[in-house]
Amino acid sequence: MDHLAELKEFARLHARGQGMKAEHATRVLARITNDTTGDPESWAAVWTAEGRAAAGRGDLLDACRHYALARFPYHGGADRRDAQRLCVDTFDRWRRGQEGIQRLEFTDADGAGGTVACWAAGLDRSRPLLVVMGGIVSVKEQWAPLLPLLSRLGFAVVVTELPGVGENTVTYGPDSWRTLSLLLDRLADRALVADTSMLALSFSGHLALGAAAEDPRIRRVLTVGAPVAGFFTDEAWWPRVPGITTDTLRRLTGSEDLAELRDRLAGFALTPERLRQVRIPVRYVASSRDEIIPDTDQTLLRRTLDDVRFKTFDDVHGSPAHLGATRRWLFSQLLWLRFARRRARPTPRGAVGARPS
């Protein structure tokens, strides 16, 4: 599959995941003839024009959705960098008309260096913290409309980005999980960080698992299609990984070529010994036709984690055709683990779940 065809295939899935109507996405994609910077029929130019039109009619969140696709899969090149800036600026305009949504920014001086930006709501030292993070192509503005809902559910909620994605300028590496611990450090006086939940999707789920092995403040991890070990090390699986995924990872890790990327990724794999240190509930949405994550990663989690449960959909990576069902399952699990389970009898060590799916 050529580059533009692959872009269009993945964009349809991500447009659906953001709640964009399939008919509209198809019409926009039909107008795109190339991926050349500066061409009015290029990927970034067409999606950006749609974003400006949405902003012009006052639909700022719809504009953000289009800008997020204009910078997809990452903001390389002038047109995509402009789209990334428009996405952030337009969301900032939207949130100023809402109540209680704040912008946070801090420097990751204790880790790999760089800046991390977040949108937050419901910050209060008495509220349990919920951190929401997407994968290697998902900007925080995609998830931030959930802020008012999650705040009403009683959480201090922060949405942010994987290192190297969007406004996160930290280089993505094997120790990137430390950025999550640093975030908890910075929020220690603004939320109940000792009771932190991670809603960490795709590659950020890998970060959350790594952080949970080291940081006792993380009390539960909920994820969708997270790589664990096999994705990073399985030579037989790697040729199946889509070109967009490898190109994006190469950019985020600063790798010059595929060979260097594979060498770097080998250090990301979570070992069984490390996973056995994750002694908290883990809830995982899996896709039976996942083209990115091998099912051996699920097998490893089943074998090593004390309390893990899976919900599997017949879908591709991220289960974009089951967005509503995915969210319902994740939120029901989150609320059960955080609130109801505290009043229930503790699950014996070694059990795979607190109750049936």
Side-chain angles (χ1 to χ4, degrees), residues 106 108 115-119 129-144 146-147 150 157-170 172 176-184 187 196-209 211 218 221-227 252 317 330-331:
F106 66 90
D108 187 22
T115 300
V116 180
C118 316
W119 302 113
L129 177 65
L130 173 61
V131 177
V132 182
M133 181 183 285
I136 60 174
V137 299
S138 300
V139 291
K140 62 188 178 302
E141 288 72 28
Q142 292 178 226
W143 314 111
L146 293 173
L147 283 165
L150 296 170
V157 56
V158 171
V159 296
T160 188
E161 290 149 325
L162 191 82
V165 178
E167 291 190 280
N168 189 328
T169 62
V170 180
Y172 184 41
S176 288
W177 63 268
R178 298 181 186 278
T179 299
L180 292 175
S181 288
L182 179 60
L183 176 61
L184 301 195
L187 293 170
T196 295
S197 302
M198 292 282 176
L199 181 56
L201 311 180
S202 191
F203 283 78
S204 66
H206 167 261
L207 252 64
L209 290 169
I218 299 174
V221 171
L222 303 98
T223 188
V224 179
L252 299 186
H317 181 70
L330 289 173
F331 288 165

Side-chain angles (χ1 to χ4, degrees), residues 30-286:
R31 292 165 39 210
I32 298 172
T33 63
N34 64 83
D35 193 20
T36 303
T37 298
D39 190 309
E41 295 183 346
S42 70
W43 181 270
V46 172
W47 281 113
T48 298
E50 288 292 323
R52 291 186 186 279
R57 60 177 180 267
D59 194 339
L60 299 182
L61 287 184
D62 192 46
C64 288
R65 286 189 281 268
H66 288 84
Y67 294 143
L69 284 165
R71 50 80 60 202
F72 180 89
Y74 55 84
H75 52 288
D79 288 352
R80 279 180 166 84
R81 287 194 294 272
D82 287 345
Q84 166 66 36
R85 176 184 52 79
L86 284 167
C87 187
V88 174
D89 290 349
T90 303
F91 184 86
D92 196 33
R93 285 173 56 197
W94 173 81
R95 68 100 184 175
R96 290 177 187 276
Q98 310 299 308
E99 183 176 352
I101 299 179
Q102 307 173 47
R103 179 178 170 85
L104 306 177
E105 190 173 314
F106 66 90
T107 301
D108 187 22
D110 298 331
T115 300
V116 180
C118 316
W119 302 113
L123 293 181
D124 188 292
R125 294 184 65 177
S126 66
R127 286 180 165 223
L129 177 65
L130 173 61
V131 177
V132 182
M133 181 183 285
I136 60 174
V137 299
S138 300
V139 291
K140 62 188 178 302
E141 288 72 28
Q142 292 178 226
W143 314 111
L146 293 173
L147 283 165
L149 167 64
L150 296 170
S151 177
R152 287 196 296 272
L153 291 175
F155 293 96
V157 56
V158 171
V159 296
T160 188
E161 290 149 325
L162 191 82
V165 178
E167 291 190 280
N168 189 328
T169 62
V170 180
T171 301
Y172 184 41
D175 291 332
S176 288
W177 63 268
R178 298 181 186 278
T179 299
L180 292 175
S181 288
L182 179 60
L183 176 61
L184 301 195
D185 292 343
R186 298 299 176 88
L187 293 170
D189 62 346
R190 309 184 74 173
L192 186 60
V193 298
D195 189 0
T196 295
S197 302
M198 292 282 176
L199 181 56
L201 311 180
S202 191
F203 283 78
S204 66
H206 167 261
L207 252 64
L209 290 169
E214 309 290 339
D215 195 328
R217 296 174 295 183
I218 299 174
R219 304 296 297 275
R220 55 204 67 84
V221 171
L222 303 98
T223 188
V224 179
V228 181
F231 170 83
F232 301 110
T233 60
D234 189 339
E235 295 287 344
W237 178 263
W238 192 254
R240 308 183 193 184
V241 177
I244 283 181
T245 302
T246 59
D247 289 346
T248 303
L249 285 169
R250 189 163 54 83
R251 192 252 183 194
L252 299 186
T253 59
S255 302
E256 291 293 328
D257 53 30
L258 184 57
E260 183 180 351
L261 174 63
R262 292 302 314 279
D263 287 343
R264 288 177 183 267
L265 290 182
F268 285 63
L270 297 174
T271 65
E273 294 73 23
R274 183 88 178 276
L275 288 168
R276 290 189 184 99
Q277 300 303 309
V278 181
R279 301 189 177 95
I280 59 171
V282 173
R283 300 294 180 261
Y284 190 116
V285 173

